[in-house]
Amino acid sequence: MGYVKGLICKECKKEYAKEPIHVCEYCFGPLEINYDYEGIKKVVSKKSIESGPPSMWRYKALLPIDEDPKVGLNTGFTPLVHAKNLGKALGINNLYIKNDSVNHPTFSFKDRVVAVAVSKAIEFGFDTLSCASTGNLANSVAAHAAEAGLKSVIFIPDGLEAGKILGTLIYGTQLIAVKGNYDEVNRLCSEIAVNHKWAFVNINIRPYYGDGSKSYGYEIAEQLGWKTPDNVVVPVAGSSLITKIWRAFHEFEMLGLVDKVQSKIFAAQATGCSPVTTAIKNGSENITPVKPNTIAKSIAIGNPADGYYGIKTANTSGGYGEDIADEEIVASMKLLAETEGIFTETAGGVTVGVTKKLIEQGRIKPDETTVICVTGNGLKTQEALAGSFEAPAVIEPNVNNFEDFFCQQFNGLKGVKNGCKSKSTHPIDEVDRQQK
C-alpha cells in the first residue's frame, strides 16, 4: 500500500477520498494529494532512495500510487549534465542541465506524469486513456496505453508538428485533431469527460498525474549531492511542473534529506504565449488569458490551469518570470546543441534563452548553482529550425574534388595560399599548426 490518505482542496482544505476527481465541489478549487508524511518519514531515507531502482520509482513512497507501478518502469533518473561549455558561453560557473530530452519511452518529462497517471488509472479500473495535448503528452499517453494494453483516445490542436503527430499515431491510438488552440481542445475534453468514463490524465486523473512531476525535482536534489540549487529555470505551460519542483524540494527538506531550501524558481515562457511571466513582471497575481502565437507549441497554453500557483511559486521563492521571442528560441536551441551536444525542442530553447536573459539582468549570479530544465527532444520540433541552416555542400566522389572544396572553404586563412597545391599548405595542416 502507498501513503496517500486521499485528496484535499488547495483552497478550502476540504478532504476527499481517493477518487478520479480533480475539482472541489464546494469552492471549485483544484484538488491535490494528501499524503501521510508521518508514515513516509518512517520508511524514506537517503539510503533507501539510493538503493532503489535507477528510475523515478526510487521515490515510490512519495508518489500517489497504492500498488506497484504498472508502466514506465524505466522512466526517469535522467542525466543532470554539468554544462561547463554552455556556462562559459553564458558567463556563469555552476550551470547544470536536467535533461529529460532522453527520458523513456517518448523523450520528454511527460513520461513521468503519465507513468503515474496510467498506473493510477489501472488501480481505478479504467480501460481507456485520454488527454488534451500539445504533443509530448499525446506521445506519452499513447505509448503507455500500448504498454498497458489499454485503449486510448487523444485530442490535439490542429496543425501540430509532424514529429509529434507521427510519434503518437505509431502506438495505434485514436488521434483526433481539433480546430483551435490547446485551451479550446482542453475545454472540449472537459465536456467529453462528463459523458465517457475514460481516464483523462490531465482532467479527472490530474491530481495524481501532476505529482509525477515531483520526481524531476527529487532527482535534481539527489544528483546535486542531496542539495537544492540556488536557481531553477522552468518552462511554463499549464504551470504544474514549476509548482511540483518547488514542492519536491520542500518535501525533501521536511524529510530531512536536504538542508533549508533557498532555491529561486524562475518561470520561462515564449513571448508569443506568456500569460504567467507577463503577470509576474506586472506584479499581478492573476492571469490574463492570451491566444498563443509562437513556435514553442509544447508550452503554448494561453489560459494555464495552475497559472495562479505558478506565479505564486516564482514570487514566494524569490524568483521571477521572463520570456523570449521566437528568433531567440531558435538561437538558444542552436547554442545548447553547439556547446553541450543536446538537441532540445523549442521549450528547451525557451529555458536556455531565458536563463541568458536572467543572467544579463543580474538575477542569476555567476557563482550560483543554476539548473536549466530541458523537458523535450528537438527531433520532435524540427520545423522550428526550418531555414536556419544552409544545405550541405555537395562534392564529387574523388579526393581532388574534396581538396579543391576544402581549400575554398579555408581561402583567406592566414598562411594558406589560394589553391592549396602544396602539401605544406594543406588547410588541415595549417589549422593544426595554428592551434598548436
Side-chain angles (χ1 to χ4, degrees):
M1 294 296 290
Y3 294 90
V4 175
K5 295 193 291 185
L7 303 175
I8 187 169
C9 177
K10 292 182 74 167
E11 294 300 322
C12 74
K13 305 305 178 185
K14 178 175 171 57
E15 296 184 11
Y16 293 82
K18 288 180 281 188
E19 297 176 358
I21 54 176
H22 70 293
V23 175
C24 177
E25 62 186 23
Y26 283 83
C27 75
F28 301 106
L31 301 182
E32 62 181 356
I33 307 299
N34 187 13
Y35 288 96
D36 174 14
Y37 287 112
E38 291 304 314
I40 292 173
K41 285 180 181 179
K42 296 176 182 178
V43 299
V44 170
S45 65
K46 292 179 184 179
K47 183 177 180 180
S48 72
I49 291 172
E50 290 170 346
S51 64
S55 71
M56 63 181 287
W57 301 112
R58 63 204 285 119
Y59 315 105
K60 178 177 176 289
L62 286 157
L63 297 173
I65 61 173
D66 291 324
E67 303 171 6
D68 288 336
K70 303 298 192 295
V71 292
L73 299 185
N74 297 308
T75 299
F77 216 62
T78 55
L80 183 70
V81 179
H82 192 180
K84 296 179 180 179
N85 297 331
L86 179 60
K88 184 177 180 180
L90 297 181
I92 59 176
N93 302 318
N94 299 304
L95 181 64
Y96 293 83
I97 302 292
K98 180 57 178 168
N99 186 15
D100 261 23
S101 73
V102 295
N103 205 7
H104 182 275
T106 68
F107 311 108
S108 87
F109 95 97
K110 291 295 188 183
D111 289 327
R112 300 173 181 274
V113 291
V114 174
V116 172
V118 173
S119 293
K120 199 66 190 180
I122 293 171
E123 288 182 14
F124 283 135
F126 287 101
D127 64 2
T128 302
L129 303 174
S130 190
C131 69
S133 173
T134 56
N136 284 324
L137 181 59
N139 295 170
S140 191
V141 169
H144 285 89
E147 180 185 355
L150 301 178
K151 295 173 286 186
S152 59
V153 182
I154 295 170
F155 301 83
I156 58 172
D158 188 31
L160 217 54
E161 299 98 334
K164 289 182 177 175
I165 293 173
L166 290 174
T168 303
L169 289 171
I170 190 66
Y171 299 108
T173 188
Q174 173 65 63
L175 185 64
I176 300 171
V178 179
K179 294 180 179 178
N181 58 39
Y182 172 82
D183 299 292
E184 293 169 308
V185 177
N186 192 52
R187 187 162 49 248
L188 173 63
C189 286
S190 296
E191 296 171 359
I192 293 172
V194 175
N195 300 321
H196 295 267
K197 294 189 181 300
W198 299 343
F200 280 84
V201 299
N202 51 352
I203 301 177
N204 55 348
I205 308 294
R206 187 175 181 84
Y208 310 93
Y209 154 93
D211 266 23
S213 292
K214 294 193 302 178
S215 63
Y216 194 96
Y218 298 147
E219 289 174 21
I220 290 173
E222 182 184 352
Q223 291 170 325
L224 283 174
W226 298 102
K227 297 178 182 178
T228 54
D230 296 303
N231 311 296
V232 186
V233 183
V234 187
V236 169
S239 290
S240 178
L241 179 60
I242 191 172
T243 65
K244 299 303 182 180
I245 291 174
W246 182 238
R247 179 167 180 171
F249 288 172
H250 283 277
E251 285 182 340
F252 266 18
E253 178 186 338
M254 178 186 60
L255 294 170
L257 302 177
V258 299
D259 293 334
K260 182 175 176 59
V261 175
Q262 296 181 312
S263 302
K264 292 172 286 185
I265 312 296
F266 293 92
Q269 293 195 298
T271 303
C273 186
S274 55
V276 172
T277 58
T278 297
I280 292 170
K281 289 192 284 186
N282 290 341
S284 174
E285 294 182 350
N286 300 312
I287 293 292
T288 299
V290 301
K291 186 173 183 179
N293 182 22
T294 175
I295 61 171
K297 295 182 180 181
S298 65
I299 54 173
I301 297 179
N303 189 18
D306 293 315
Y308 167 80
Y309 302 103
I311 295 168
K312 187 176 180 180
T313 296
N315 290 337
T316 301
S317 70
Y320 193 61
E322 246 324 335
D323 48 84
I324 58 171
D326 283 0
E327 56 269 23
E328 296 173 284
I329 295 172
V330 172
S332 298
M333 293 169 67
K334 294 167 69 175
L335 177 63
L336 179 61
E338 291 168 1
T339 56
E340 298 297 336
I342 296 173
F343 185 15
T344 180
E345 67 168 7
T346 48
V350 168
T351 50
V352 171
V354 164
T355 301
K356 179 176 183 291
K357 204 167 186 178
L358 293 169
I359 293 167
E360 292 169 349
Q361 293 172 354
R363 298 181 188 276
I364 291 178
K365 309 300 182 186
D367 292 323
E368 292 178 334
T369 300
T370 299
V371 174
I372 298 176
C373 299
V374 167
T375 53
N377 196 291
L379 292 172
K380 298 183 179 188
T381 59
Q382 295 181 57
E383 292 93 331
L385 299 174
S388 298
F389 300 94
E390 295 182 3
V394 179
I395 64 171
E396 297 296 331
N398 66 72
V399 69
N400 289 333
N401 192 234
F402 166 73
E403 298 294 351
D404 290 342
F405 161 76
F406 203 67
C407 289
Q408 289 175 10
Q409 292 296 103
F410 282 87
N411 208 11
L413 181 66
K414 186 178 179 180
V416 180
K417 297 178 181 179
N418 291 342
C420 301
K421 299 300 183 184
S422 169
K423 290 184 179 180
S424 63
T425 58
H426 191 286
I428 291 181
D429 297 334
E430 178 63 19
V431 171
D432 285 345
R433 186 189 68 76
Q434 291 191 5
Q435 288 178 343
K436 293 175 181 177

